[in-house]
Structures are given as structure tokens and as C-alpha cells.
Amino acid sequence: MSVLIVGSTALDSIKTPKAENSRLLGGSASHAAVAASFFGPVNLVGVVGDDFPKRYLQLYGRHKINLEGLQIESGKTFHWAGEYELNMNHRRTLLTELGVFEKFTPVLPSSYKTAPFVLLANIAPALQHHVLDQMRRPRFVAADTMDLWLNVALADLLKLIKRLDAFVLNDSEAQQLTKEDNIFVALRKIHQLGPKYVIIKKGSHGSILSGPRGLFICPAYPLRKVVDPTGAGDSFVGGMMGYLASAQGSIDDNIRRAMVCGSVVASFCCEGFGLQRTTRTTRAQIDGRVKELEEMTRF
Amino acid sequence: MSVLIVGSTALDSIKTPKAENSRLLGGSASHAAVAASFFGPVNLVGVVGDDFPKRYLQLYGRHKINLEGLQIESGKTFHWAGEYELNMNHRRTLLTELGVFEKFTPVLPSSYKTAPFVLLANIAPALQHHVLDQMRRPRFVAADTMDLWLNVALADLLKLIKRLDAFVLNDSEAQQLTKEDNIFVALRKIHQLGPKYVIIKKGSHGSILSGPRGLFICPAYPLRKVVDPTGAGDSFVGGMMGYLASAQGSIDDNIRRAMVCGSVVASFCCEGFGLQRTTRTTRAQIDGRVKELEEMTRF
């Protein structure tokens, strides 16, 4: 089954202590869509400017991502620039040029409106609402977010959370949202806001799912070298939703393995700048690392 | 089979934002010995002063810990006082009175010298060496350490590491020892120092084993409330060694489950001050949480 993914489509200029790359394909929807594409069909919703490089449209194309919902507006594509510290755990934003993204209103082509799986990747909660308003009874809706929306659009975000099956956020965001240091208490508090499934991402420490079958402790794939972690969280939710949409059976039967698949795609993402490593990945390589993680967690 | 455990035996005065308890039974050997005692016989080596409360000798006794190697000297028992911050991740030492511990030389009763499993719990590396010098061909030797010894006794520690089957340390110590941020690169570097098994503890994020069968990602048991984390690391290695000594089969067959058992005993340790919760634990409760962790990591 197909996944609808809405989020940002951007050009990222990324500096690490070892290298610098400018105007890479980035944005939450780009990372999530490529990640999901390894598992099945993806419908993308986003906006780019008329400066958007043709090679990036071709890249989406090679991943068979449906671009009917990608708006191409006159003006500049959203451009973000950031710099990582040596340990890659801290980054600072050097530049944010919203361009055509500033006035983005996601409009769904009618063929998208019946997609059973919907991923509201990181984007303003008002836009995430707007996408849901256009959908016809999706089977499973997940959303990701970022600290920015907790700071500037909390009311919208809280209303959105009520409409979700799954809410995904990272540990510091969970702490900010619940005023709770303890991740397991935070999970309970977030359930009370609505979602049946709550997933807290912990970077290289993996992630935790709380759902109807209890807790799942999802491992991160061990990496000896992290080149650029930009987009890892988006790759995680994208890979997870792609697997879920492709799998037979119930959400409860599949969500754990879906998270592990997302975790693995995120590991490939970290091994190159932007989408450079992810796009060279194969489904067989993903399945190989999933099997390795199965072996590394068995006791 | 029996485990020999050497380390500190102390009185701990612990302050958290919620409560304060003075002169609790503490020390690396006390926590490790009680943890190991759930799985089989334990021989303790340590020193206390003549002020050591009789009720703590009785506590060791209730856990059937062999005290033939516990020296009782005239003078004061090692007394440590510390205070935790609100999130329990940071603590500061308020007081360290070494007392009889200052001149401690571990002497093994002859019945201890053939113990197949040896745990050199956290104590000066010179004393850990001294214990090993008295042993007759133990089957499996593991050691824990702390940042203090990396700072003041690095040469001794490096010599000790060569003599170990398993070396256990936490993530910040691994970083200090190897000058390496990446935990998986650090594991490789520590193997090069000698041990076949290297275990890096990551507190509430679990632990990682690197050994002949590759990596094992060991989960921490989810806790909604941490009362006092003092001794959790000691409980982890103690529980691990206790299980290893009790289990049939090879080290490779058993070490993963041994780590999970250690992780579970550490979780009980965190739920009370000092050893208050650990000592009320039963083997059935430990097995119950091990089973829960098995369920929480399966996918």
C-alpha cells in the first residue's frame, strides 16, 4: 500500500569538522520519502522553487517517488545551512532562507486522498492539520515534530496530537512537552494527549515505543563513523512508515520490525552527507542490517 | 560454582532531592556480592572497621555471602557521602573518610584461591592485581573500575586490563581511556589492550558487549522512578558474574543473559536507597524482569 508523506523539501548546506557540502537535497519529506521508497510506493507533498536542481527531481524519480503533489513555485527553494561540532551531537543553524516554503499550503492531488498510510513529517503543525483535513479515512497516521513547534505552535501541535495514531519525537522534545525527565513517565503523559502509539527517539541510543503491546526497546545500528546525522530522524520515521505500509497483518504485528527498518535506514543516512549514502542503499542491505540487529539483541 | 568478589565495603550517606539516608551499607563489593548472591555462592573479600554495624554482617549472612575474607580492623569503616541532583545523572561527593580502607591489603583465605569466577569490583588497580596474584588459574576474571583510577593509577590499570577476560567500564570512562567519542571504536581500542570481552555501561541506555560472537546490545530495565542509583553499576557486574558462575555451558553461551540479569538487579538497586530494595528482591522477581526484557526487545 502507498504512503503519503508531507514535509519540507529543501537544499541543505552542511558543515562538519571534516568536510563541507552545499545545496544538498534535504528536508524532512525528502529524507522520509527516500527512506520509505525502499519498501513500496510513496506519494510526496511539498514545495520547491524554480531554482530546484533537475538532478534532484531525477533522484526522486529513481526512487519511484510520486511527485504529483510536489509544487514548483517561482522563487527560491527553502535553504538551510548548519554546522556540526566534533562529536556530532550539537549543531547550530547558520542560515535559514524559507523562500517559497514560507507560503506553502499543501494541496493533495485527488489520487493521494485515499492513501492508507500518512506520514506528517516535520513541518508546521497547521500544515500537518491541513493535510489531514483533506484525507479520506486513512488507516494509520503518524507525525514527527521538532522543538521549534513546541516553542511557537504548541496549541496547534497539541490539537494535532489528538488526531494521530502515532506520535514520534525525540527525548529532549518529550522532556520539553511533558516537563518530565523520565522517558517512561513522559511516554505515559503523551499517551494521555491522544495517540495509541508514542515513539521517543534517542539518537545513537535507539528509540522506545509505547503501544498496546507494551514497551519496545528499539536498537540503533552500531556505527563506527558518523559522517552527517542530518535527516536521520526523518529517515527513521520514513523507513518505519514505508515498512508498515508494505507489510501484511496488523499494525501491532508489524510496528516493531518497522521501527528496526527505520533505524537501519537512519544508520545509512548518517554514513554520508545529505542523502548521498541513503540513495546508494539497497533493500537487501537494509534487510542485512535488520538481521544483524536481530542477532545483536538476542539473548 | 562460586564467585570471589573483592572491592570496597563502606558506609554510604546519600542525599537526593527527595530524601536523605545516612550510613547505609554500601561499597562496590557489597552491592556486587548481594547482586551475585541471587544466583549462587559468593566469597567476599574486603575490610571494615570495628564500628561496622552488626546488622550489616547479618545482612551479608542472610544472602549466604561467605565472610571468611572480610577483615575487621580496629578503626573506622570507609565512609562516603554524596548528593544527587534532581535528574539523578549528576552527583557530587560531599565527604570521603577512608578509615581502615586506607591500609587495606586483600588477603585471600586458602579456600577462596581456587574460585573459578573472580570479580575485581571497583577498587585501586594495585589491589585488584594483588588478588589475582593469589589466585590459582581462575576460569574467568572480570574487573570494573572508575574514573579516579584512570586519573591516578593509569599504568597499574593498563597492566591489570591485560590480565582480564572481561573489562567493564562506563561510557565516559571508555572515552577518557581511549580518547574516542564513538563507543564502537572505543570498544575496538580496549580489545587491543587485552580483554576478550569488553562491556561499556551506558546507565539508563543499557550496555554494550563486544566479544567473540560480536556485539550485544543489552537493554536497561525501564524504570519510572529512580530513588538512588548508587551501586547500580556494581550490581550490574555482580549480577552478571553471579549468573555466569551458576550457568552450565560456555561463557559465550551465557554472557548475554548474564548481562541482562545484571541489568535487572541494577534496576532493583535503583528503586531504593543503598541496598534497601535489592535485599528485598527474590530470584523469581529477577527472572520475571528478565522475561519482560526479552519480550520488550523481540521483533
Side-chain angles (χ1 to χ4, degrees):
Chain A
M1 285 190 275
S2 65
V3 189
L4 183 151
I5 296 180
V6 63
S8 61
T9 41
L11 300 174
D12 284 352
S13 294
I14 299 164
K15 201 172 165 180
T16 69
K18 301 224 169 136
E20 193 170 348
N21 278 271
S22 65
R23 302 176 75 78
L24 298 159
L25 178 57
S28 62
S30 301
H31 280 282
V34 171
S37 74
F38 294 105
F39 304 95
V42 176
N43 298 323
L44 182 71
V45 181
V47 67
V48 296
D50 48 19
D51 62 343
F52 192 68
K54 197 178 254 177
R55 66 180 185 283
Y56 292 156
L57 292 174
Q58 290 162 346
L59 185 157
Y60 288 138
R62 280 196 303 280
H63 285 272
K64 303 195 171 22
I65 294 167
N66 184 349
L67 299 181
E68 208 187 325
L70 182 68
Q71 303 166 25
I72 304 182
E73 305 290 345
S74 70
K76 287 192 165 183
T77 303
F78 179 19
H79 180 208
W80 174 83
E83 182 173 8
Y84 285 90
E85 286 177 19
L86 193 60
N87 70 6
M88 300 282 179
N89 290 329
H90 296 102
R91 78 171 178 205
R92 60 195 188 97
T93 291
L94 300 173
L95 175 145
T96 307
E97 294 173 328
L98 289 176
V100 297
F101 193 64
E102 194 168 2
K103 295 190 176 160
F104 175 45
T105 302
V107 178
L108 304 195
S110 62
S111 67
Y112 281 24
K113 294 182 181 177
T114 52
F117 288 80
V118 179
L119 171 56
L120 308 169
N122 174 31
I123 197 174
L127 301 184
Q128 294 175 316
H129 274 289
H130 190 62
V131 168
L132 275 192
D133 291 341
Q134 299 169 68
M135 295 297 303
R136 283 195 216 103
R137 300 178 150 271
R139 181 173 161 208
F140 189 78
V141 179
D144 194 3
T145 195
M146 73 183 289
D147 53 356
L148 175 65
W149 312 123
L150 292 166
N151 293 326
V152 307
L154 183 60
D156 282 352
L157 182 63
L158 289 171
K159 259 184 273 172
L160 179 81
I161 295 174
K162 280 196 220 303
R163 303 178 71 182
L164 303 174
D165 297 293
F167 184 46
V168 183
L169 71 175
N170 73 28
D171 44 5
S172 63
E173 290 154 7
Q175 193 181 334
Q176 189 182 337
L177 180 62
T178 61
K179 319 281 177 240
E180 201 27 88
D181 264 343
N182 183 298
I183 199 173
F184 303 103
V185 178
L187 282 166
R188 277 196 175 171
K189 288 193 173 181
I190 300 170
H191 274 304
Q192 288 162 4
L193 300 175
K196 192 169 167 187
Y197 304 87
V198 182
I199 294 171
I200 296 182
K201 298 175 286 182
K202 306 191 297 169
S204 63
H205 298 301
S207 56
I208 307 278
L209 162 72
S210 172
R213 294 198 187 160
L215 295 173
F216 172 53
I217 301 170
C218 178
Y221 184 82
L223 289 179
R224 289 201 178 80
K225 195 175 171 187
V226 171
V227 173
D228 168 23
T230 311
D234 308 309
S235 302
F236 170 75
V237 283
M240 178 183 93
M241 288 297 278
Y243 180 86
L244 269 185
S246 76
Q248 302 288 320
S250 72
I251 299 293
D252 282 334
D253 283 346
N254 297 322
I255 193 164
R256 289 175 168 218
R257 186 163 291 264
M259 285 173 67
V260 177
C261 287
S263 190
V264 163
V265 181
S267 75
F268 285 112
C269 174
C270 290
E271 291 184 303
F273 267 94
L275 277 154
Q276 288 175 348
R277 177 70 186 92
T278 315
T279 49
R280 289 189 293 107
T281 303
T282 64
R283 176 67 192 265
Q285 288 176 327
I286 293 168
D287 291 346
R289 285 193 178 181
V290 169
K291 217 174 149 64
E292 280 184 75
L293 279 177
E294 213 167 347
E295 173 51 36
M296 285 181 210
T297 52
R298 191 181 296 151
F299 64 88
Chain B
M1 286 191 275
S2 65
V3 188
L4 183 151
I5 296 179
V6 63
S8 60
T9 40
L11 300 174
D12 285 352
S13 296
I14 299 165
K15 200 172 166 178
T16 71
K18 300 225 171 138
E20 193 169 350
N21 278 271
S22 65
R23 302 176 76 78
L24 297 158
L25 178 57
S28 62
S30 301
H31 280 281
V34 170
S37 74
F38 294 105
F39 304 95
V42 176
N43 298 323
L44 182 72
V45 182
V47 67
V48 296
D50 49 19
D51 62 343
F52 192 68
K54 197 177 253 179
R55 68 180 185 281
Y56 292 155
L57 293 174
Q58 290 163 346
L59 184 158
Y60 288 138
R62 279 196 303 277
H63 285 272
K64 301 195 174 19
I65 294 166
N66 183 348
L67 299 180
E68 209 189 325
L70 182 69
Q71 302 165 27
I72 304 182
E73 304 289 345
S74 70
K76 286 191 165 183
T77 302
F78 179 18
H79 180 208
W80 174 84
E83 182 173 8
Y84 285 89
E85 286 176 20
L86 193 61
N87 70 4
M88 300 282 177
N89 290 328
H90 296 101
R91 77 170 179 208
R92 61 195 188 97
T93 291
L94 300 173
L95 174 145
T96 307
E97 294 173 328
L98 289 175
V100 297
F101 194 64
E102 193 168 3
K103 296 191 175 159
F104 175 46
T105 302
V107 178
L108 304 194
S110 62
S111 67
Y112 282 25
K113 295 181 181 178
T114 54
F117 288 80
V118 179
L119 172 56
L120 309 169
N122 174 31
I123 196 175
L127 301 184
Q128 293 175 315
H129 273 290
H130 190 63
V131 168
L132 275 193
D133 291 342
Q134 298 168 68
M135 295 296 303
R136 286 195 212 105
R137 303 178 148 272
R139 181 175 161 206
F140 189 79
V141 179
D144 194 3
T145 195
M146 73 184 289
D147 53 355
L148 174 66
W149 312 122
L150 291 166
N151 293 326
V152 306
L154 183 60
D156 282 353
L157 182 63
L158 290 171
K159 261 184 273 173
L160 179 81
I161 295 174
K162 281 196 219 305
R163 304 177 72 182
L164 303 174
D165 297 293
F167 184 45
V168 183
L169 71 176
N170 72 29
D171 43 7
S172 63
E173 292 154 6
Q175 193 182 335
Q176 189 181 339
L177 180 63
T178 61
K179 318 281 177 237
E180 202 25 92
D181 264 344
N182 183 298
I183 198 173
F184 303 103
V185 179
L187 283 165
R188 277 196 173 169
K189 288 193 172 179
I190 301 169
H191 274 304
Q192 288 163 3
L193 300 175
K196 192 169 167 185
Y197 304 88
V198 182
I199 294 170
I200 295 182
K201 297 174 287 182
K202 308 191 295 171
S204 63
H205 297 300
S207 56
I208 308 279
L209 161 72
S210 172
R213 294 197 186 160
L215 294 173
F216 172 54
I217 300 170
C218 177
Y221 184 83
L223 289 180
R224 290 202 177 80
K225 195 175 171 189
V226 172
V227 173
D228 168 23
T230 312
D234 308 309
S235 301
F236 170 75
V237 284
M240 177 183 92
M241 288 297 277
Y243 180 86
L244 269 184
S246 76
Q248 301 290 319
S250 72
I251 299 292
D252 282 334
D253 284 345
N254 297 323
I255 192 163
R256 290 174 166 216
R257 186 163 290 266
M259 284 173 68
V260 177
C261 287
S263 190
V264 162
V265 182
S267 74
F268 284 113
C269 174
C270 290
E271 290 184 303
F273 267 93
L275 277 154
Q276 287 173 349
R277 178 70 185 93
T278 316
T279 49
R280 287 189 294 108
T281 303
T282 63
R283 176 67 192 266
Q285 287 177 326
I286 294 168
D287 292 346
R289 286 193 177 182
V290 169
K291 215 173 152 65
E292 281 184 74
L293 279 177
E294 215 167 346
E295 173 51 36
M296 285 180 210
T297 53
R298 189 182 295 151
F299 64 89

